[in-house]
């Protein structure tokens, strides 16, 4: 029994859908980081929470990149796996840089 592979068109279509979903998730995490930073500016007495939010989001995106990208690569869906690793990895790097700058 041979393993059936999806066509390049199927992989491209799934990659586009996942790319849009990834951007929505990254946008939501950036929004949470921004709102936490805004709340920090109104609360001068306590230490800021925004860097912790950025670190949490970084690990979330890093884990999602490994699980989804690695999973697609194990299934030999190279296009989808590469898109997931690149997009979610870039989002994790962005949020890690925000955490480092605070």
């Amino acid at each position: 029994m041979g393993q059936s592979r999806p066509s390049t068109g199927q992989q491209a279509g799934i990659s586009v859908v996942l790319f849009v979903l990834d951007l929505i998730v990254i946008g939501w995490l950036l929004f949470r980081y921004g709102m936490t930073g805004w709340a920090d500016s109104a609360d001068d007495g306590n230490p800021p929470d925004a860097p912790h939010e950025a670190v949490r989001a970084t690990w979330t995106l890093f884990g999602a990149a490994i699980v989804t990208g690695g999973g697609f690569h194990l299934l030999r869906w190279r296009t989808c796996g590469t898109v997931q690793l690149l997009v979610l990895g870039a989002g994790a790097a962005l949020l890690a840089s925000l955490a480092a700058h605070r």
Side-chain angles (χ1 to χ4, degrees), residues 5 9-11 17-18 24 27 32 43 53 75 80 82 95-96:
R5 288 189 181 174
Q10 285 175 320
Q11 286 191 45
V17 170
L18 289 174
I24 290 170
R32 284 180 49 116
D43 186 15
E53 186 66 35
L75 292 173
C80 296
T82 302
L95 282 153

Side-chain angles (χ1 to χ4, degrees), residues 72-93:
F72 278 125
H73 274 282
L74 286 175
L75 292 173
R76 303 208 191 289
W77 289 36
R78 303 282 186 228
T79 305
C80 296
T82 302
V83 167
Q84 289 297 98
L85 286 171
L86 290 175
V87 173
L88 293 174

Side-chain angles (χ1 to χ4, degrees), residues 33 36-37 39-40 43 46-56 102:
Y33 170 78
T36 305
D40 286 344
D43 186 15
N46 293 319
D49 289 329
H52 300 293
E53 186 66 35
V55 169
R56 187 178 310 123
R102 286 226 112 186

Side-chain angles (χ1 to χ4, degrees), residues 15 22 69:
S15 294
D22 292 345

